[in-house]
Amino acid sequence: MTMLRQGSRAIDKLVIIGHGMASQRLLERLAERDERPRHIHVFGDEARPAYNRILLSPLLAGEIDENGIALRDAEWFAQHDIRLHSGRRIERIDRQTRCVTDNCGEHWHYDRLVIATGSRARFFDLPGAALAGIHGFRTTADVDTLLAASGCGRRAVVIGGGLLGLEAAEGLRKRGMTVTLVHRARHLMNRQLDAQAAELLSAELARRGLELRLGCQPTAFEGDGERVDGVLLDSGERLPAALVVTAAGILPNAEPGLAAGLAGERAIAVDDTLTTSDTHIHALGECCEFEGTTFGLVEPIHAQVEVLAERLCGGDARYALGDCATQLKISGIDLYAFGVLDPEAGDEVLRYVDIEAGDYRRLILRHGVLVGGVLYGDTRDGPWYFHQAQRRRDLRACRDTLLFGAHDASQQLEEAA
């Protein structure tokens, strides 16, 4: 490993708190650079190295095993001279001495500290919330718990009709459980899909055997005093449940930074260099907030990683908020959505629907520029549409063929150029 010459801005000791997808991606970017910090220590609460959390749904469904979600093995860390401390929790950050203390009482000094502690499931503060059998869906340990709990009964209730809730519900259904999904909005994935696309999604899930309760929410969990056996809804209905999964939002794991006095409200506040109110400490991913925005999708966090890796190697990269695309990861169901969901006055809305084939597209044009899209069924052209939206390209020249995909639209744009 080649280091910067003496007198440069090379960082000697880097400590990273949290070993999830974000911090692992950061480590891989740093491992590519000669200017990387000399000594790198990364601490993870979980007993195993970072893994691909996006694949928790197929893991729950039994479509892959834990080897299929692994990112790097111990040999990789040894090869790149990075010290991994799995199953170690950092209990305290001392900003004055630039030292962290782990749950074994050991002290670790840093020149720079990165907090990448992720998030946790948001649970409901309702009567019966302390009953056994109510779980989140964020880690492999959660998957193990859900699989063990599924043997206690055949009925499950999943609360939350967003990405995570749908994936959890489908995973449990594939394990043989009868699953009811509860969502407070009138249609599924209401932050990403319009009503027509959501209707197609609901119909497909119902065809598979998933029961839906839309436009309602839980008011209490009921049980025998120890374990949950039902969920009471504000509609008055009682759903029997041997297992409840809450997937209705996340909470940033910002406590380590906030307890150390770092600025922040919902999460640890960072500037466009991913630096906190302490110039020696950075925050990354779901535990940070930038310009009042917190994060839960992969794309913006990957962009943060690129900026922070450059900064830690002496560069001057800056982070800015950008658009993101959403994809649903359920076998046999393809969704792709991005940008504006509700059109404004003067926007042009283009729609294509083939109920029999299960295909749907809705594109929103604003002064000829694509500002939002929803695709259900055939989503192959989703990334092309998203790219045009990011470029803010005027698409009026291919307006008549735009709904029919990238090939025809691109050809028409070339002819008009």
Side-chain angles (χ1 to χ4, degrees):
M1 178 176 63
T2 304
M3 298 301 299
L4 292 176
R5 64 185 182 276
Q6 189 174 5
S8 69
R9 295 189 297 169
I11 297 168
D12 186 41
K13 297 176 182 176
L14 172 67
V15 170
I16 301 175
I17 304 175
H19 189 216
M21 291 175 64
S23 60
Q24 180 57 38
R25 191 176 180 91
L26 176 62
L27 291 172
E28 297 196 11
R29 291 294 178 267
L30 294 175
E32 298 168 353
R33 303 285 295 269
D34 289 341
E35 307 91 341
R36 54 161 275 186
R38 185 186 304 272
H39 302 290
I40 301 177
H41 291 261
V42 57
F43 294 82
D45 287 356
E46 296 184 63
R48 59 175 295 163
Y51 49 86
N52 189 343
R53 296 183 195 275
I54 296 173
L55 297 178
L56 286 179
S57 176
L59 179 66
L60 177 62
E63 297 170 349
I64 58 175
D65 59 20
E66 290 200 3
N67 290 329
I69 68 172
L71 294 176
R72 296 290 184 178
D73 58 18
E75 183 179 346
W76 184 88
F77 294 91
Q79 178 184 350
H80 294 284
D81 196 22
I82 295 171
R83 291 282 306 279
L84 172 62
H85 306 271
S86 295
R88 287 280 189 99
R89 173 184 289 272
I90 295 300
E91 301 282 3
R92 183 171 181 269
I93 300 170
D94 188 331
R95 294 166 51 198
Q96 299 300 316
T97 62
R98 294 184 203 162
C99 178
V100 298
T101 305
D102 65 23
N103 58 336
C104 297
E106 290 193 62
H107 305 290
W108 307 86
H109 291 274
Y110 63 85
D111 296 309
R112 293 287 184 91
L113 177 68
V114 174
I115 304 174
T117 44
S119 65
R120 61 189 181 277
R122 183 191 298 273
F123 288 93
F124 293 90
D125 185 16
L126 296 174
L131 290 168
I134 302 174
H135 307 282
F137 181 49
R138 302 290 297 167
T139 68
T140 55
D142 289 334
V143 171
D144 292 340
T145 300
L146 293 178
L147 291 177
S150 67
C152 299
R154 306 311 301 168
R155 298 197 65 92
V157 171
V158 175
I159 303 171
L163 284 171
L164 200 62
L166 290 172
E167 291 171 4
E170 182 67 358
L172 290 172
R173 185 195 66 79
K174 287 184 175 179
R175 289 288 185 174
M177 299 195 76
T178 299
V179 182
T180 303
L181 187 143
V182 177
H183 188 50
R184 68 178 180 179
R186 293 293 179 182
H187 69 256
L188 298 173
M189 292 184 65
N190 54 292
R191 294 184 178 180
Q192 295 87 19
L193 301 183
D194 66 327
Q196 194 165 3
E199 186 177 343
L200 291 171
L201 174 60
S202 294
E204 172 60 23
L205 293 173
R207 187 189 66 78
R208 295 183 178 199
L210 192 68
E211 299 176 5
L212 300 176
R213 298 292 187 273
L214 304 178
C216 56
Q217 54 188 335
T219 58
F221 303 104
E222 298 183 336
D224 59 5
E226 294 186 4
R227 185 172 185 84
V228 69
D229 61 24
V231 179
L232 186 63
L233 303 182
D234 58 2
S235 63
E237 183 181 9
R238 184 186 187 277
L239 300 174
L243 172 65
V244 176
V245 179
T246 62
I250 58 175
L251 292 173
N253 291 326
E255 290 81 0
L258 299 181
L262 299 177
E265 295 181 9
R266 291 181 294 168
I268 303 168
V270 296
D271 62 15
D272 61 0
T273 68
L274 281 303
T275 304
T276 69
S277 53
D278 184 321
T279 57
H280 294 92
I281 302 178
H282 305 275
L284 173 69
E286 294 170 331
C287 69
C288 79
E289 61 179 348
F290 173 69
E291 295 183 352
T293 299
T294 54
F295 306 91
L297 297 176
V298 170
E299 286 183 46
I301 295 174
H302 282 182
Q304 291 177 6
V305 166
E306 300 302 320
V307 170
L308 185 53
E310 183 69 19
R311 303 293 303 189
L312 292 173
C313 292
D316 191 33
R318 303 274 170 166
Y319 178 70
L321 295 174
D323 293 330
C324 298
T326 298
Q327 293 178 271
L328 182 63
K329 303 162 190 71
I330 291 179
S331 177
I333 298 178
D334 293 316
L335 283 172
Y336 194 98
F338 63 88
V340 171
L341 181 59
D342 298 314
E344 297 179 356
D347 289 349
E348 183 177 16
V349 179
L350 306 178
R351 281 190 177 88
Y352 166 83
V353 60
D354 184 339
I355 298 295
E356 187 174 336
D359 286 337
Y360 175 78
R361 294 184 183 190
R362 190 193 73 162
L363 305 176
I364 300 176
L365 293 174
R366 184 171 297 163
H367 306 299
V369 175
L370 184 59
V371 295
V374 174
L375 287 76
Y376 179 92
D378 184 356
T379 62
R380 288 173 295 179
D381 292 321
W384 183 85
Y385 287 124
F386 183 50
H387 180 62
Q388 305 311 309
Q390 287 184 306
R391 292 178 60 191
R392 307 194 183 283
R393 189 174 185 180
D394 190 328
L395 300 174
R396 280 175 283 200
C398 66
R399 183 250 180 238
D400 293 339
T401 58
L402 192 59
L403 275 174
F404 301 104
H407 181 270
D408 291 344
S410 295
Q411 189 173 23
Q412 199 165 4
L413 284 172
E414 291 175 6
E415 291 173 354

